Amino acid sequence: SAVISQKPSRDICQRGTSLTIQCQVDSQVTMMFWYRQQPGQSLTLIATANQGSEATYESGFVIDKFPISRPNLTFSTLTVSNMSPEDSSIYLCSVVKLSEQYFGPGTRLTVT
Amino acid sequence: DAKTTQPTSMDCAEGRAANLPCNHSTISGNEYVYWYRQIHSQGPQYIIHGLKNNETNEMASLIITEDRKSSTLILPHATLRDTAVYYCIVRVGGDYGQNFVFGPGTRLSVLP
């Protein structure tokens, strides 16, 4: 299995600022995934983060808005830049290991 | 990965079996059926998965039709804590680094 922790668990931010979310996994994994879940919606994949290379972004998400770092096989960060109220969501970190997908507890972001 | 269709919502009486259907008529031979659930404000949690045989674990049973075009997740004795959104996902098995694609899911309400 994989145990994932995220920091912060929640935050309230002013529009125009940036927030960096940290994701730590208890074992080495090749790929880490970042999802967004807007209020009342299902999960949407933002990007896939590989260690040692640029993240791969899904349609509708760009690196300037959601820069991602992946410095090693157990850690990743997602930054939500120049925030607006539309960025208010839960952001989830995830990994796939042995045919199962594991999720962190999420970071609940509110932008005012 | 094949697409899935689930009812938007369902109710179930506490203590009764909850049967959640899923249609996946375009499933391929090497694709597994996975079920996850998301309890309010938490990350999705793995429940069960299967290829063609019925599966059972401590949480639930998975019944897959012989033609594999549909499946049913069974929670044998639903409790109030089983109230959640349940996601049926079809995906190639194995640790290939692919993420899981989440549809809207079924919102199950277990009623006292």
Side-chain angles (χ1 to χ4, degrees):
Chain A
S1 67
V3 177
I4 303 173
S5 59
Q6 288 185 233
K7 288 182 185 179
S9 58
R10 58 177 62 227
D11 207 342
I12 301 173
C13 301
Q14 302 259 354
R15 71 169 67 208
T17 63
S18 297
L19 175 72
T20 295
I21 302 167
Q22 299 179 7
C23 175
Q24 180 76 51
V25 188
D26 68 341
S27 56
Q28 294 185 340
V29 291
T30 304
M31 290 187 179
M32 295 175 77
F33 305 98
W34 285 99
Y35 286 83
R36 180 176 74 181
Q37 187 170 29
Q38 294 177 300
Q41 303 293 313
S42 186
L43 285 75
T44 301
L45 182 67
I46 298 172
T48 302
N50 300 323
Q51 193 266 337
S53 64
E54 291 273 332
T56 302
Y57 289 82
E58 298 298 305
S59 175
F61 298 96
V62 294
I63 188 171
D64 290 346
K65 176 67 176 177
F66 298 101
I68 287 171
S69 78
R70 183 79 200 275
N72 58 52
L73 292 174
T74 63
F75 186 79
S76 177
T77 67
L78 170 76
T79 299
V80 186
S81 303
N82 188 24
M83 288 183 283
S84 66
E86 292 71 35
D87 293 320
S88 296
S89 294
I90 298 174
Y91 292 85
L92 295 132
C93 171
S94 177
V95 303
V96 173
K97 195 164 187 182
L98 296 177
S99 299
E100 289 182 30
Q101 185 158 7
Y102 299 89
F103 289 84
T107 296
R108 182 179 292 275
L109 171 63
T110 302
V111 184
T112 58
Chain B
D1 295 330
K3 294 223 184 290
T4 63
T5 305
Q6 299 176 251
T8 304
S9 63
M10 293 180 63
D11 291 340
C12 176
E14 186 179 17
R16 305 297 292 269
N19 298 288
L20 292 91
C22 179
N23 287 321
H24 31 79
S25 58
T26 60
I27 192 170
S28 300
N30 63 345
E31 289 181 315
Y32 288 70
V33 180
Y34 285 80
W35 283 84
Y36 279 74
R37 74 179 182 184
Q38 187 174 26
I39 296 171
H40 182 63
S41 298
Q42 298 180 21
Q45 174 192 23
Y46 167 82
I47 301 173
I48 199 168
H49 77 283
L51 183 62
K52 48 184 157 182
N53 297 323
N54 297 338
E55 301 287 344
T56 295
N57 62 22
E58 65 280 2
M59 289 181 67
S61 294
L62 174 61
I63 309 298
I64 302 174
T65 58
E66 195 168 334
D67 63 7
R68 304 207 323 121
K69 292 180 186 247
S70 64
S71 61
T72 301
L73 177 74
I74 301 172
L75 308 178
H77 305 286
T79 71
L80 299 178
R81 286 176 294 182
D82 292 321
T83 292
V85 178
Y86 288 77
Y87 299 98
C88 170
I89 302 160
V90 168
R91 180 187 179 275
V92 174
D95 189 9
Y96 300 126
Q98 290 179 298
N99 64 292
F100 287 58
V101 178
F102 287 76
T106 295
R107 184 172 297 277
L108 175 69
S109 298
V110 180
L111 307 174

